[in-house]
Amino acid sequence: MYITKKMYIKPDMKLSDFFFDNPYLLLMMEHFNLNFVTHEKTIEDLCNEHSINTNIFVDIANLYNGFNEISAEKYQKNDIPTLINFLKNSHDYYKEEKYPEIRDLICKISTINETAEIKLIKTFFEEYFNEVVEHLDYEDKVAFPYFIDILNKKESIIKQADYSAKVYCDHHTDIESKLMELNNLLLRHIPLGKDSSLRRKLILSLFEMEYELKIHYLLEENALIPLVSNIEKNIK
Amino acid sequence: MKDCNIHIAIVDPSHIISEGLSNILLKSDHHFQIYKFDTLEEVLSFRENDKINIVITSPSTLLSNEKDYKSVKKTLPKVKWVGIVYSFFDKKTIEQFDNVIEISESPPNINKIIYSVYEKKCDCKKGNKSNELSEREKDVLIELINGLSNKEIANKLFISTHTVASHRKNIVSKTGIKSLSGLTIYAITQKIISIE
């Protein structure tokens, strides 16, 4: 039983106000490569200053607050690099910060709760982590460069490549659901030993990761892929 | 995993109304998850709006934003509508709601009104055992972990593949775990299998 009310973000709002409402927006700023100490600036000021489409910024910020207004119709093909940079930066955050943090916690837990289950959780996570890295690398090295080529109309490349946004869709594995499985195992099934404070940290971390991935997925599915598909239709 | 909460969206720009209503609802014996919105437009863009069971709003919200009202009705056809009425409105407007709460209503009656439009059966108060696997589900789980296909399991346990599939579905919904490696860990914690 609790009440949910997050601010609905609009372009004339002061940035610093919305961080107090939802501190996870700090992460969003990092993904945009923006400094989060913004003094008195409004969203509009900041977007103009950094040539970011205000619509995209506001929509992503609202996504962090639980409102999904992402729709490719509102954006232009010139927004593709902004989106790709945002997604790439989030990949780096997952690979270099968040997943290592999760792995580290699991390792620590396994040293104080030496049961077979925890050992298996460790293996489960390692396998999962390898899958994730493979997927993220694929997006960074294959999919995103292809999208940029398409944007720059490198027709020779496009015609040669038997690749398209559709393939990218198919490649999209459901990375989220395994995180939820981990949480189910840790919260509902595996008995707690002396690892309670570490396990709490781990579970919170897993939920944070899941929250990030949901946003990531919506951006790819509802903004990036439709934008790229539209260009493909015009070229091919 | 079952969700025993009734999800209620209160759509009213007045804080007195929304705070007051949520306080009354949250103090009752039932499980409510309450979301507050200023406008119906916000409900439409709310990411998890498919969870909403009831929308409580004033007749004037419907009248002034007919377009949004229609879109919410279209996107969320199963949602029940409860009016919070604090002035006079014509009968036709009031009839659009499944039920109404008058501003002078007592808290117990408010709960009754909510329950009159939407009731969620839940057994979490009866020492919920429903998430435990049945013996047959455990049998299926063991064979799954042994690497058998649906068809092989069906043959071995003398049941139809359709039944195997339905057991599998139940296992996933009861445990919250889908992958084979996750299910193996689950089976060990429940001592359904052991590792030598």
Side-chain angles (χ1 to χ4, degrees):
Chain A
M1 300 202 302
Y2 60 97
I3 304 174
T4 313
K5 168 72 182 171
K6 286 261 181 281
M7 210 184 272
Y8 188 74
I9 294 166
K10 292 177 184 141
D12 57 351
M13 277 179 189
K14 235 189 276 170
L15 282 146
S16 47
D17 289 344
F18 72 47
F19 298 138
F20 283 95
D21 183 53
N22 180 5
Y24 287 104
L25 287 161
L26 294 174
L27 261 181
M28 178 195 78
M29 294 295 277
E30 281 188 18
H31 297 342
F32 268 118
N33 264 342
L34 297 169
N35 187 332
F36 53 68
V37 181
T38 51
H39 309 285
E40 295 296 298
K41 275 178 206 156
T42 66
I43 294 177
E44 225 161 12
D45 297 339
L46 182 95
C47 287
N48 290 337
E49 198 178 300
H50 294 271
S51 334
I52 295 170
N53 177 346
T54 314
N55 277 338
I56 286 209
F57 188 91
V58 169
D59 286 351
I60 295 181
N62 273 321
L63 204 50
Y64 273 80
N65 274 3
F67 297 100
N68 180 11
E69 299 209 322
I70 300 286
S71 152
E73 289 155 21
K74 294 197 280 186
Y75 322 126
Q76 285 118 30
K77 60 179 185 185
N78 296 337
D79 295 323
I80 292 178
T82 308
L83 278 168
I84 290 185
N85 279 335
F86 184 94
L87 295 169
K88 263 192 166 168
N89 287 335
S90 3
H91 288 175
D92 291 343
Y93 164 75
Y94 307 155
K95 282 193 285 193
E96 280 151 33
E97 193 176 327
K98 203 67 196 169
Y99 279 116
E101 174 190 308
I102 293 171
R103 175 196 259 161
D104 197 40
L105 283 165
I106 295 178
C107 282
K108 279 187 186 148
I109 290 175
S110 71
T111 59
I112 54 171
N113 187 348
E114 290 174 272
T115 54
E117 289 99 318
I118 297 288
K119 267 188 209 128
L120 286 167
I121 285 280
K122 217 173 144 188
T123 328
F124 182 89
F125 181 79
E126 288 302 330
E127 283 171 16
Y128 166 69
F129 184 62
N130 290 338
E131 266 173 50
V132 173
V133 170
E134 198 181 304
H135 176 71
L136 298 181
D137 282 346
Y138 157 79
E139 291 192 348
D140 287 340
K141 289 175 189 151
V142 181
F144 293 160
Y146 167 81
F147 294 164
I148 295 290
D149 280 347
I150 245 202
L151 185 65
N152 299 331
K153 294 208 169 152
K154 287 192 182 161
E155 294 195 29
S156 55
I157 291 172
I158 296 151
K159 279 179 182 154
Q160 275 172 22
D162 42 354
Y163 184 76
S164 70
K166 171 79 179 51
V167 180
Y168 176 69
C169 265
D170 296 341
H171 246 265
H172 246 166
T173 48
D174 209 351
I175 296 180
E176 256 178 83
S177 80
K178 277 202 173 154
L179 279 184
M180 209 53 221
E181 287 189 19
L182 268 178
N183 264 333
N184 266 300
L185 286 165
L186 294 165
L187 263 170
R188 297 169 63 204
H189 304 307
I190 299 178
L192 202 56
K194 287 179 184 154
D195 55 328
S196 96
S197 81
L198 282 171
R199 196 183 298 190
R200 184 226 324 131
K201 283 180 196 159
L202 172 60
I203 290 167
L204 290 180
S205 206
L206 290 169
F207 273 111
E208 279 168 10
M209 190 60 218
E210 208 200 329
Y211 170 84
E212 266 283 318
L213 284 174
K214 264 190 194 146
I215 289 166
H216 197 78
Y217 184 72
L218 283 170
L219 278 178
E220 292 181 331
E221 295 287 307
N222 300 344
L224 186 60
I225 295 172
L227 280 174
V228 173
S229 304
N230 274 343
I231 309 179
E232 277 179 343
K233 265 182 228 154
N234 294 332
I235 296 180
K236 283 195 176 174
Chain B
M1 275 186 302
K2 279 196 197 152
D3 181 359
C4 298
N5 287 319
I6 295 183
H7 296 253
I8 298 181
I10 300 179
V11 186
D12 202 300
S14 153
H15 279 278
I16 297 180
I17 297 290
S18 55
E19 291 286 329
L21 258 177
S22 24
N23 266 322
I24 291 168
L25 292 171
L26 293 178
K27 278 180 190 157
S28 75
D29 301 337
H30 305 296
H31 298 283
F32 294 115
Q33 159 89 48
I34 295 178
Y35 311 87
K36 291 188 203 169
F37 301 99
D38 290 344
T39 63
L40 288 170
E41 201 187 348
E42 286 183 24
V43 178
L44 278 172
S45 64
F46 178 52
R47 225 168 68 196
E48 295 179 343
N49 63 14
D50 54 333
K51 285 188 182 167
I52 294 172
N53 307 117
I54 300 175
V55 173
I56 304 182
T57 191
S58 77
S60 54
T61 310
L62 300 196
L63 290 173
S64 57
N65 301 291
E66 214 176 324
K67 209 179 121 210
D68 290 334
Y69 169 57
K70 281 187 182 149
S71 331
V72 178
K73 274 204 105 151
K74 208 177 145 197
T75 346
L76 307 166
K78 283 186 190 155
V79 158
K80 299 289 180 187
W81 294 77
V82 173
I84 169 96
V85 182
Y86 38 96
S87 60
F88 176 78
F89 287 97
D90 65 74
K91 218 176 147 195
K92 219 180 118 201
T93 310
I94 297 295
E95 275 170 355
Q96 300 195 56
F97 291 103
D98 295 290
N99 208 337
V100 289
I101 298 170
E102 304 277 346
I103 194 78
S104 57
E105 208 66 83
S106 69
N109 278 342
I110 292 179
N111 284 304
K112 270 186 211 154
I113 291 168
I114 296 293
Y115 263 75
S116 74
V117 298
Y118 190 87
E119 194 164 0
K120 200 169 237 180
K121 297 247 174 349
C122 98
D123 43 16
C124 59
K125 281 184 184 165
K126 301 179 212 151
N128 187 5
K129 291 226 170 203
S130 59
N131 278 336
E132 222 166 80
L133 299 189
S134 70
E135 287 309 313
R136 212 45 170 165
E137 284 160 0
K138 286 181 190 168
D139 294 339
V140 171
L141 178 59
I142 292 169
E143 300 310 337
L144 274 175
I145 293 169
N146 287 337
L148 267 58
S149 70
N150 277 11
K151 206 174 163 210
E152 287 164 332
I153 297 174
N155 287 339
K156 192 167 176 188
L157 301 179
F158 305 107
I159 50 179
S160 73
T161 47
H162 180 76
T163 313
V164 177
S166 114
H167 283 316
R168 283 187 73 162
K169 219 176 121 201
N170 286 339
I171 294 171
V172 174
S173 84
K174 284 182 180 179
T175 59
I177 300 160
K178 216 160 43 181
S179 73
L180 202 54
S181 40
L183 284 171
T184 312
I185 303 177
Y186 169 81
I188 293 169
T189 64
Q190 302 303 307
K191 306 201 164 45
I192 297 170
I193 59 166
S194 61
I195 34 175
E196 296 84 40

